[in-house]
Amino acid sequence: MSVAIFVLRRLGGGLLVLLILSFLVFALLAASPGSPIQTLLGTRPATPDLVHELRGRYHLDDPFAVQYLHWLSDAVRLDFGRSISVQSGTPVADMIYGRLALSAELAVYCLLLVLLLGVPLGVIAGIRHGRTADRIISLLATAGFGAPAYALSIVLLYVFGVALDWFPVYGAGDGFADRVTHLTLPAVALATVLSAVVVRQARAATLTVLRQDYITFARLRGLGPRRVLIGYVLRNCAPPVLTSAGMLLVAPLSAGIFIEQVFSLPGAGSLLLSAVTAKDVPVVQALALLIGALVVLVNLLVDLLGFLLDPRVRLHTAGEG
């Protein structure tokens, strides 16, 4: 199966998932308590002019399916309407743009820390299986996996932000260096939990590779430990580790809601929480759809990466075809 056919098949599946998600997201408005016009009015007074404007803007006099098609055509053009209560009257797309960019920066920073910390530790644990280094790393990974991110955030905030005064305790900062400084504690809090997943995945992959016959043959051929490690172990560990690490890229967008609240970061997570609390349905609809689209895109990239790196995936997909 060629790369183009593989991408087209995965892209078609992703678009189908997004279409189903968009319908469920749009149904939020109909499922909200009270009538849709009451939901869209929020705390604003129900003047005849405003009610008439909302009924026309959201096509509330049309059948449900027609309303959905109108909303979907606007959403494809990134027109999600205007905020009801969080920033009343402001276009939702304008509100989300800066918030989503900050959350994406936090996710990338977190992913870099996860790869730099989790992969080496997992490989070392696999190579030193059953020894002291393996036990210590496995114990730390278990502790990190079980630690709640929000509790860890409060500890980091108090120790490194308040007691030692090494990092700022709130806000996003201005400029590259200041932004990195402000995002360090939130990224470390998220990376500590997510690194545990990568450590386990890298350790298991390393153990599996080390037990393969081609590793034994490579050693019998007189290849040095470094060449076996780089040329055989790391190369064959890469596909499953990169697959799990890629999926962790979207984890900060969901798990980061509490992190953003603790560090007062104006990201997409805090906006989603504010919108849900204030019953701002257009903002909730837009964020749910955009986060879903991001998950589908990351899934597509991870599948493509696995297809390119692992010949077994190509053989399996060719058998499916």
Side-chain angles (χ1 to χ4, degrees):
M1 180 184 295
S2 67
V3 177
I5 295 176
F6 178 81
V7 171
L8 286 176
R9 288 179 61 175
R10 289 293 188 273
L11 193 60
L15 289 176
L16 179 61
V17 171
L18 274 182
L19 191 62
I20 296 172
L21 177 65
S22 69
F23 181 80
L24 295 176
V25 165
F26 176 76
L28 278 175
L29 182 61
S32 301
S35 67
I37 194 65
Q38 287 176 329
T39 303
L40 293 171
L41 279 170
T43 58
R44 292 173 292 181
T47 62
D49 290 341
L50 182 56
V51 171
H52 178 73
E53 179 193 346
L54 290 175
R55 297 195 76 85
R57 184 191 303 169
Y58 291 94
H59 308 279
L60 296 180
D61 295 324
D62 294 329
F64 182 80
V66 178
Q67 293 178 36
Y68 167 68
L69 291 176
H70 280 295
W71 177 83
L72 184 62
S73 65
D74 290 338
V76 169
R77 291 182 279 111
L78 299 181
D79 180 6
F80 297 100
R82 295 178 181 274
S83 170
I84 295 171
S85 49
V86 176
Q87 292 181 21
S88 183
T90 305
V92 174
D94 293 346
M95 292 173 58
I96 290 178
Y97 176 73
R99 302 291 194 102
L100 207 56
L102 177 61
S103 294
E105 291 170 3
L106 176 61
V108 171
Y109 193 178
C110 173
L111 183 64
L112 288 176
L113 293 179
V114 168
L115 292 177
L116 292 175
L117 185 68
V119 175
L121 287 178
V123 172
I124 291 173
I127 293 174
R128 311 295 291 178
H129 175 60
R131 300 182 183 179
T132 304
D134 179 29
R135 294 193 184 96
I136 294 174
I137 293 172
S138 298
L139 181 63
L140 292 175
T142 302
F145 188 75
Y150 63 90
L152 188 60
S153 301
I154 295 173
V155 173
L156 292 174
L157 187 69
Y158 178 76
V159 175
F160 296 101
V162 178
L164 298 176
D165 197 23
W166 289 357
F167 296 97
V169 295
Y170 65 89
D174 297 320
F176 178 76
D178 197 29
R179 178 63 61 88
V180 170
T181 305
H182 279 77
L183 293 184
T184 295
L185 288 182
V188 169
L190 276 171
T192 301
V193 179
L194 300 180
S195 293
V197 179
V198 175
V199 167
R200 291 184 172 189
Q201 184 71 50
R203 180 180 179 275
T206 303
L207 283 175
T208 302
V209 172
L210 287 176
R211 290 167 181 161
Q212 302 301 312
D213 291 339
Y214 56 81
I215 296 293
T216 304
F217 293 147
R219 287 170 173 164
L220 291 175
R221 287 166 51 202
L223 298 181
R226 178 177 298 180
R227 189 171 175 184
V228 172
L229 175 65
I230 297 175
Y232 292 88
V233 177
L234 294 182
R235 183 179 178 183
N236 288 282
C237 286
V241 173
L242 289 177
T243 299
S244 64
M247 291 309 302
L248 295 180
L249 186 61
V250 296
L253 292 176
S254 55
I257 292 177
F258 299 106
I259 303 289
E260 291 179 3
Q261 286 297 108
V262 172
F263 291 95
S264 300
L265 291 175
S270 61
L271 178 61
L272 179 60
L273 189 60
S274 300
V276 171
T277 304
K279 299 180 181 177
D280 199 332
V281 175
V283 177
V284 176
Q285 288 176 323
L287 280 172
L289 188 60
L290 289 177
I291 291 175
L294 187 58
V295 171
V296 170
L297 178 62
V298 171
N299 264 306
L300 177 63
L301 294 177
V302 167
D303 286 346
L304 180 59
L305 194 62
F307 182 83
L308 295 175
L309 290 178
D310 195 343
R312 292 168 294 185
V313 176
R314 291 197 290 272
L315 289 174
H316 180 70
T317 50
E320 287 180 346

